[in-house]
DNA sequence: GATGAATGAGTGTTCATTCAT
DNA sequence: GATGAATGAACACTCATTCAT
């Protein structure tokens, strides 16, 4: 069945000609550069179009509105990070569990390097809108699942456990990025992140509930 | 010549009279309500002044600009949370280490309840600006220090360790708030947070470095 | 009961200070001038603000959007016309029925004089939007009713009759304005308008249905 | 050198081939559909091209600009209406004067039915531009002339009289269309329209000037 | 001290139109 | 002849901020 001019949620026009594909790439690149250069406040559609070397009209032929552009940029970053993590896992020679965890952690940290400011801005922007889960979700669950299966004696993690582990890890990394901590790419920081993951999984395997008391949480 | 009234960074006028203090309080309350009601996009200075029942001119007599208002609001929230944590610790009957950690975790989670939307907006807003460290810092280090001292056999934590532990915990809680996770105030979630903290501290005490290999992190 | 800051449909702010009232008047005057000078295409909010000598922001403090401004202008014209008709009726010395009809017709035609271009633009603009009835309605029904009561032997007009008579009269006048007919203010034209009204009313009084045949209208 | 294809005012290219004629028809049909579906605001050249299934470039090969397209559409409607009136007159079995008038009135009202929204939009659009006379003119004078000749005892109408009669009739119908009056196609409405025309013509035949007073109209 | 009218730079977005392919 | 990617002037509208009253 011929789909008559597919219009996905993000884009207005599906690029058919080579020129169009280049244009989209140029716009995204321009967006990243603007973000890198001036942060979220500088991120205006006109500035992006300018930097990308296209007219504002062209930008709007490929992105329905400003937030669609931002979303597309965030997706691009996410995908790249995911790919980096996958690649790191495949290329890893240390097949111990710890080795795998370390590979993942390092890939993520590295992904946030270079264009750090743009990353920061993308993250900020994404948060400033409402779209947190969908974007951070994939990578987080990927981590959780990747770290899960090979561990002998480790029952499948519950949803809260996946959530806490992935968000804790990502939260620490993101904070280091946003706060521009100097130790971001240090071995010591990496060690602590690995420790965080491993100790939590170890505790889960030990199975000791943190408390047996039946206290309620209600305030 | 008398310095024409001391002007701290955030505020324009130091409220001296009771009425002025009330006005500031009204503005902050209005700001919180606007944020709660319409999120960050609705947070305009005029809207806040309207809601607070003061004129826009009055608002600017107490806050140098919009971001000062936002900063003051964030501070207010922070202080309240800090106070809640302190109160929880003092009121706690379970003096075990785990009991103390749990009290802290619960106090923070509870602090994010009620006016959750406003909290979320404050956090978003604070992130959307540049001001991350200063605001999250106090509470984070408070946690780390509070959890630190009474643990026998635990050497003083290094800066990366304080950072990782505090940001991981806050990151998990913040993610639950921002993503509006239903289990936010559940016992299961609290358990996992406590487990995260305790297992990490246990691992530190055990002292095993996560890896002895001398791999570098550089890409 | 104190109405707390009444916000009518058209306006944003109710002018309280003298300055504000002047501003509103200036904006409406500017709007009329822009319309007069360049017609509907020139009628941009910025142009109006410029001409009125106020900033665009000020314009938007008193008019919610462009169409509200247009509506207000139309209302002003309508009211003026209505007042002119009323005044003409009161000042009329010829109390015959025809005299009264003629006074009405003349008042309306005269109302469209001076600033004819602005009138035309207002009418065009009003039509280009959807708002026809509400604006033209008052004046039309006023005419119909004013012409109605004193006629002996004339039963109350049905809705279709009021409609046809008022729209026919207004339609002829409006067409003359829009087409800029040279005879607009001529005695001959006025005569024909009066004849149109009187002959129709006479026919109604005579009561002869135009046709007794029971043909249906369906196509 | 052959004149590079004749370029009349409205069109760019005179369609010579069957395909070209079809293309023009498709564009006009698309234009009507867009107007019907979304009114004047939706009437953009791109939307019309899309709906017509041609590229925007093709549209501009046949229509010099947007208003030319609108004008062509208005002409098409006009011609159709005129044809309908002619057909109604020829098919009419009631050869009385009233019968003929009624046939005309009904044909016009019916012409405005079906695709009423598009008609309304066309009328609005035509008015919103400057082009009133040329379009409404033909049909109006046609009516006046059609109603004129067979009336015994009726001198040729003066220009003001033709104007008033035609515009009054069209004005009443147009108002009913624009205001979306429910009685538009009712017998009662038709009766009143017929009465309007007949009574006016009767009054003309009677020859009584509406007033002998020598008042001037000047204000 | 308080008010709120006024400001205007700046934003996102549209759409008629062109022209290289 | 046809296409559709690209253009960019123009527009409606917002909102942080100032300052005369």
């Amino acid at each position: 069945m011929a789909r008559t001019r597919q219009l996905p949620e993000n884009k207005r026009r599906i690029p058919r000609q080579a020129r169009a594909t280049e244009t989209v790439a140029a716009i995204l690149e321009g967006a990243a550069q603007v973000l890198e250069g001036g942060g979220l406040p500088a991120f205006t559609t006109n500035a992006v179009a300018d930097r990308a070397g296209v007219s504002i009209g062209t930008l709007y032929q490929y992105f329905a509105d400003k937030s669609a552009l931002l979303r597309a940029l965030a997706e691009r970053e996410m995908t790249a990070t995911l790919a980096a993590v996958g690649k790191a896992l495949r290329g890893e020679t240390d097949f111990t569990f710890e080795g795998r965890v370390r590979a993942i952690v390092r890939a993520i940290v590295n992904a946030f390097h270079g264009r750090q400011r743009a990353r920061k801005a993308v993250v900020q922007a994404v948060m400033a809108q409402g779209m947190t889960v969908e974007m951070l979700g994939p990578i987080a669950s990927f981590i959780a699942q990747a770290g899960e299966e090979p561990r002998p004696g480790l029952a499948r993690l519950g949803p809260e456990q996946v959530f806490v582990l992935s968000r804790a890890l990502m939260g620490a990394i993101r904070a280091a990025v946003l706060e521009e901590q100097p130790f971001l790419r240090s071995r010591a920081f990496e060690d602590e992140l690995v420790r965080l993951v491993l100790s939590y999984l170890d505790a889960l395997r030990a199975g000791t509930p943190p408390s047996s008391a039946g206290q309620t949480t209600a305030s």
Side-chain angles (χ1 to χ4, degrees), chain A residues 40-41 67 70 120-132:
Chain A
L40 205 40
S67 83
L70 202 50
K120 178 176 170 178
V122 168
V123 170
Q124 282 181 353
V126 160
M127 309 215 66
Q129 319 288 315
M131 26 163 169
T132 351

Side-chain angles (χ1 to χ4, degrees), chain A residues 38-98:
Chain A
L40 205 40
F43 187 70
T44 69
T45 51
N46 284 290
V48 169
D50 258 25
R51 180 66 67 99
V54 302
S55 77
I56 181 64
T58 297
L59 187 154
Y60 273 92
Q61 280 203 327
Y62 294 101
F63 300 94
D65 56 22
K66 194 188 181 181
S67 83
L69 174 57
L70 202 50
R71 226 150 41 222
L73 196 58
E75 247 167 53
R76 196 177 80 155
E77 306 283 303
M78 223 84 264
T79 306
T81 302
L82 229 47
V85 170
K87 188 165 167 239
L89 278 182
R90 282 192 305 279
E92 185 60 31
T93 55
D94 178 358
F95 293 110
T96 64
F97 187 69
E98 182 187 326

